[in-house]
Amino acid sequence: MSTLRLFLSGLLFSWAPQIISGRPATTSKADLFQNLPNIPDLTNASLSVTTIPNNFHIERAFHAAIPFLPEACLFNIIGGLRDIVLGDFDTNMPVSGFRTTLFMSPIIKLHSPATTEIPRKYVVWGLFLTSYYLHTFNAYQLSLFSLWFDEHEVGGIGIGGRVLASGGVATTPPSGGGAANALEIDYAYFGPQHTLGKGAVFMTIISALMEAAPPSAETRITQTWINFLHGEKCIFVVVPSSSSEARATFTYFHLVQVLARAAEYYEQKGRFGQLEMNVSADGVRIAQAAFSWRQVVVGERIEGLRLGLRLGLNETTTVAEEEVVDDVA
């Protein structure tokens, strides 16, 4: 069994009851990780959690009964985020639209109320919350979501079939090109074949892309990097290789490409089980990564309701457990 699988086994079964709302219930990351086996620098591991300011939320301003394929919506959002998160997080970006060659519809269209640019961070947060709304409420249809910061409307995200406003539409390969394709990734399904589900896998990828946005693309990742979204049974883990040369190589740019290419691999194979990836550059393995099953903690329901408020829902709005979509068709 690989080191990464030992790590996943320890995390999922020994420590899963201590993970609540995507955050450790213990006092420090060292408390959470101290007994997991054979992972270099694990006590300093980077535990990734979703952090959106409390004064940012979205509202669904418009929708129509024109449906889109659920996986197409999430996959095209991943394709856009792949490029967006590699830019400077604190700068503006052009208002535009995007889709992938795998799914030509829907187009994901950005809007700005006053200019032809919009702060990149608003787009990243907005795309995550829009995805979360579509997935949670099975609302994969023609829609316009407005973005709000400090009670001011700062932009919008449209889910549609054609361009309705200024700005072009970028149609990109599912996993990008150029330097992204220089990575060598070997894939292998492993373990009991729990069905993670398309929705769970794609939402975990979108969550991880959001967390990868603030650091510079050139920033090295030298510690274990973890991401999971409350309420989902999927966890994403990256363990950089132990050699100093390899650790100096693996960056957030590589992390973003691993996530995007995993989405493409899953979609092409049509099998959304536990997946391990060996990532190499120039013939040297620089990291291992995996999507694996994890236990869903009941306490996460509280955090789910809190996140619902970010979606512009009324505070009295509740969603029954059986109404939350666990997968997409």
Side-chain angles (χ1 to χ4, degrees):
M1 180 180 291
S2 71
T3 302
L4 181 58
R5 294 184 193 180
L6 282 172
F7 168 65
L8 289 169
S9 176
L11 178 63
L12 298 179
F13 299 106
S14 298
W15 287 91
Q18 298 192 36
I19 300 175
I20 299 176
S21 303
R23 296 168 174 80
T26 51
T27 57
S28 71
K29 287 182 287 189
D31 292 334
L32 178 63
F33 292 119
Q34 62 184 350
N35 292 327
L36 296 181
N38 302 323
I39 301 295
D41 297 332
L42 195 57
T43 55
N44 296 316
S46 173
L47 178 63
S48 179
V49 297
T50 51
T51 52
I52 301 175
N54 291 330
N55 53 352
F56 183 90
H57 73 277
I58 69 170
E59 296 179 2
R60 188 166 71 161
F62 168 81
H63 68 280
I66 301 176
F68 295 109
L69 189 66
E71 61 201 83
C73 295
L74 299 181
F75 193 89
N76 282 357
I77 287 173
I78 290 170
L81 274 173
R82 176 200 63 221
D83 298 325
I84 292 169
V85 301
L86 292 176
D88 188 333
F89 190 63
D90 293 313
T91 61
N92 291 345
M93 61 173 288
V95 171
S96 61
F98 47 88
R99 60 188 173 187
T100 66
T101 52
L102 190 58
F103 294 106
M104 298 297 285
S105 182
I107 294 170
I108 314 301
K109 188 72 175 67
L110 306 180
H111 301 269
S112 181
T115 69
T116 58
E117 293 188 333
I118 184 172
R120 189 179 304 270
K121 63 179 64 177
Y122 295 165
V123 175
V124 173
W125 298 334
L127 285 172
F128 168 76
L129 289 178
T130 296
S131 303
Y132 187 87
Y133 187 102
L134 298 176
H135 172 61
T136 303
F137 299 103
N138 197 24
Y140 297 98
Q141 57 186 231
L142 184 70
S143 305
L144 176 63
F145 294 87
S146 55
L147 314 181
W148 295 79
F149 186 77
D150 277 342
E151 303 305 321
H152 293 92
E153 188 174 358
V154 294
I157 295 173
I159 310 294
R162 59 192 179 93
V163 180
L164 300 177
S166 62
V169 175
T171 304
T172 62
S175 58
N181 292 333
L183 284 182
E184 304 156 17
I185 305 179
D186 295 322
Y187 302 90
Y189 290 101
F190 71 93
Q193 282 306 303
H194 300 286
T195 300
L196 301 177
K198 293 181 184 179
V201 168
F202 284 164
M203 282 305 305
T204 300
I205 291 174
I206 290 169
S207 173
L209 287 171
M210 178 179 68
E211 294 299 333
S216 165
E218 292 77 30
T219 300
R220 291 179 297 169
I221 301 175
T222 59
Q223 301 167 349
T224 302
W225 199 92
I226 306 168
N227 188 274
F228 55 89
L229 187 61
H230 74 80
E232 300 294 354
K233 52 190 173 183
C234 180
I235 184 171
F236 173 71
V237 178
V238 173
V239 180
S241 295
S242 57
S243 71
S244 58
E245 179 183 358
R247 280 173 175 256
T249 302
F250 191 68
T251 66
Y252 277 91
F253 173 84
H254 296 123
L255 173 65
V256 169
Q257 307 312 322
V258 167
L259 290 163
R261 288 177 60 176
E264 181 180 20
Y265 184 85
Y266 268 121
E267 183 60 33
Q268 289 178 341
K269 294 297 183 182
R271 178 182 170 189
F272 287 78
Q274 298 185 107
L275 182 68
E276 184 176 29
M277 293 160 281
N278 286 306
V279 184
S280 302
D282 297 324
V284 177
R285 189 171 75 179
I286 58 176
Q288 286 180 287
F291 291 87
S292 186
W293 179 87
R294 75 176 188 88
Q295 295 174 348
V296 178
V297 180
V298 174
E300 294 183 343
R301 185 72 185 115
I302 298 173
E303 184 67 13
L305 293 176
R306 289 175 183 162
L307 184 54
L309 299 180
R310 305 287 186 86
L311 305 178
L313 304 179
N314 186 283
E315 291 189 19
T316 60
T317 300
T318 59
V319 182
E321 293 294 338
E322 62 270 16
E323 294 175 343
V324 177
V325 176
D326 182 61
D327 194 6
V328 295

